[in-house]
Amino acid sequence: MRRRALPTTAVILIGVLALTGCMPQVRGDAERYEKILADVPGVIDVSMTVSTPLPFTVQASVDAVVPADQDVVDALVDAACGARPSATIHLDLVVRADSVDVGSSVGGACPEIEQDLVGIASSIRDLDLSSAVAVELAERGDDLIAVEFGDDVLLGAEILDAADAVVTRLDAPTASVDSPTLQLPAEPTETVVQRIADLRTIDQSVPIAGATLIGDGLVLSLDEADDEAGADADTTAEVESQLRDLPSGLWTDLDIEITDGVGAILGGASTGAGPAGVRLVTWISEELGLFAVATGSVVDVQVDDVQTITVASEQIAAHNPDGVRVTFSIFTEPSFSVSPQDETVLSPHDNPYPEWVGWWQELADTGEVGSVEVGREGLSVWLRSDLILDEDAKARVDAVVSRIARDAGLDWYRVNNRTTAL
């Protein structure tokens, strides 16, 4: 009896599977796992997305939503661990308590739930907050749990109470908090708990809108929404003194900037900005009448015409004692922006904006340019959308950009994403 030889590809595949100890994974196995979880009594919802990054490999991301009931959570875990799927599973669990969702990535097909998700969700629900709350407990390495709130804005006591309800129940040596109105960096969990307690103490004296702690700088926004004048100097001085004198000693040596919630929003100071950025934004708003946004250590000033950039840059350069990086943006055509790696610390001795504005003006005069991105090493230009495919227009603009770049001693220039090294 003649035996048919297996195709070479099949022989190789069988050899690989034998060596690796792997058996082909099938989508149906992942779907069976999804159904097992969905059939657990009390489960609210189960959804799944599937990918096949390699032949015979199935990866499934499963999202399970359960009520704040530990019995249901335990039953889901038992069912998941008993399923034993051959597919690679990543399970995300959300515990829902009325309008509160607390989520966490709990591992593979047989999850290990290390945090008290039910207790956290129930505690936030019992606060009876003014809006829905979504919280994700994100693992960052072996030691850090990042507490990430969703986009719903909770002010003052509400965000502090919600953060406290989460962090005090974490089983992790290190924690951080990130929300639209409260940002606390990664520190030992007991330190984060104490910082929240300290801010709650201040809030009981003078209501606060939010707080951002970055490095050694704190921006504290007071909730003066009913007072158009905002917080006065005496109030801010009193609050700063209270913070520095708290028994924890956590605030003593910080650079502290206190502003009122309304002023911070109208002035353009965004969450994530340090004290120096907020101070500069406030000065730009009050003294120059321009809208600026501070993000981290960068202040972006938004103007209506490019000529304002030259004047404003010189004024800011003379009033930037903290050495904040400053960019300018205009939204006319051509638009003007600064390459992210060339965000500049403006000073009387370093202000490239007058030269950059000159470049922009030459390119705007062509009438064929849609946007300009300037920088210390290179210049990027894109034609107007209706001229993107016009080779004659591209050649004319390329000649102008090439001359500007060579005269300025730049390393390169770019027209419509085509880069030319110099």
Side-chain angles (χ1 to χ4, degrees), residues 53 57 96 100 213 263 278 301 341 346 360 375 405:
T57 299
R96 178 169 295 165
V100 176
L213 177 62
V278 171
V301 185
Q341 61 264 33
L346 282 181
W360 179 93

Side-chain angles (χ1 to χ4, degrees), residues 271-285:
T271 55
V278 171
R279 281 193 289 267
L280 185 57
V281 163
T282 301
W283 184 86
I284 291 171
S285 175

